[in-house]
Amino acid sequence: MSIERELSKRSGSKCELCGATDNLKVYQVLPTKKGGIDESVMACSTCIDQIENPDNVDLNHWRCLNDSMWNENVAVQVVAWRMLSRLRAAGWPQELLDMMYLDEDTLAWAQATGEGEDDENKIIHRDSNGVILEHGDSVVLIKDLKVKGSSMVAKQGTAVRNIRLDHENAEYIEGKVDGQQIVIITQYVKKI
């Protein structure tokens, strides 16, 4: 059974965030470990657009999180926590956040994108041109890099897709090159 069909069955053919029934899509909650239904939600195009484009956020649309934050599916809880954290300055989202409980692993997943951190404490990853990098971005190597601990050389021009950010060091990202997960220094990449 496809992920879309499984999510449709799980959600009752509704957006798991706002309850809409039109324009539903599978939204993968980054960063993923295995992918699949446990790391995805069924969401409408309105929710997905506002999650991916913070400038398009309609605060009143997200009042639906009052219900969806209690969803039994962890991926839905993670998205709800992230959106409430993003909107917390409005007052009511902070009240909902104060009521919400996430276990340690779920909270770590929710915080993995940096949502909910104060801007002055947030680590910002930038490529060689100063462009901000985010989880899931694609980059290209701008020089040949020797991979420590192996004889592999990651060649200039190699595309690295679906990068992950190191939340303790703004200089490091992770990605797969030739099937091997490696750490890459941000000054040697350019965002695609």
Side-chain angles (χ1 to χ4, degrees):
M1 187 180 280
S2 75
I3 290 177
E4 189 169 358
R5 275 190 269 155
E6 287 182 58
L7 280 173
S8 200
K9 184 177 177 185
R10 178 178 90 185
S11 68
S13 297
K14 293 181 183 174
C15 175
E16 292 182 284
L17 301 168
C18 74
T21 56
D22 295 332
N23 301 318
L24 299 177
K25 299 177 188 166
V26 174
Y27 178 75
Q28 194 170 40
V29 183
L30 297 175
T32 60
K33 291 180 182 167
K34 299 178 276 185
I37 189 168
D38 293 334
E39 296 179 352
S40 302
V41 298
M42 182 62 77
C44 67
S45 57
T46 303
C47 286
I48 293 172
D49 177 56
Q50 292 186 37
I51 291 167
E52 294 178 345
N53 302 299
D55 296 336
N56 296 347
V57 170
D58 171 12
L59 185 62
N60 285 324
H61 175 79
W62 293 103
R63 290 197 180 268
C64 60
L65 295 177
N66 189 35
D67 295 325
S68 57
M69 68 187 238
W70 304 111
N71 192 299
E72 64 187 24
N73 298 299
V74 175
V76 177
Q77 295 171 13
V78 166
V79 174
W81 187 93
R82 287 178 182 171
M83 289 308 297
L84 290 169
S85 295
R86 183 183 299 174
L87 304 171
R88 71 177 180 254
W92 63 264
Q94 183 61 53
E95 292 172 14
L96 294 179
L97 269 174
D98 292 342
M99 288 189 280
M100 196 170 185
Y101 171 79
L102 299 178
D103 65 46
E104 229 175 88
D105 292 338
T106 305
L107 184 59
W109 182 20
Q111 293 173 332
T113 59
E115 204 73 62
E117 292 179 16
D118 294 331
D119 288 338
E120 67 266 8
N121 296 333
K122 198 174 199 178
I123 293 177
I124 298 174
H125 295 73
R126 296 183 185 271
D127 73 0
S128 60
N129 295 326
V131 176
I132 294 175
L133 299 172
E134 296 184 19
H135 272 286
D137 282 347
S138 295
V139 296
V140 65
L141 302 180
I142 60 170
K143 82 178 246 181
D144 288 356
L145 301 174
K146 292 181 183 172
V147 179
K148 286 185 181 178
S150 81
S151 60
M152 183 177 137
V153 175
K155 297 288 186 189
Q156 177 180 348
T158 301
V160 182
R161 306 204 184 287
N162 197 18
I163 64 167
R164 296 173 189 237
L165 307 179
D166 182 321
H167 287 289
E168 295 177 11
N169 190 330
E171 302 269 316
Y172 297 151
I173 60 172
E174 292 181 27
K176 280 192 177 183
V177 175
D178 295 333
Q180 184 175 344
Q181 187 80 9
I182 63 171
V183 174
I184 306 166
I185 298 174
T186 56
Q187 68 185 13
Y188 301 125
V189 301
K190 182 173 71 172
K191 185 173 177 177
I192 298 176

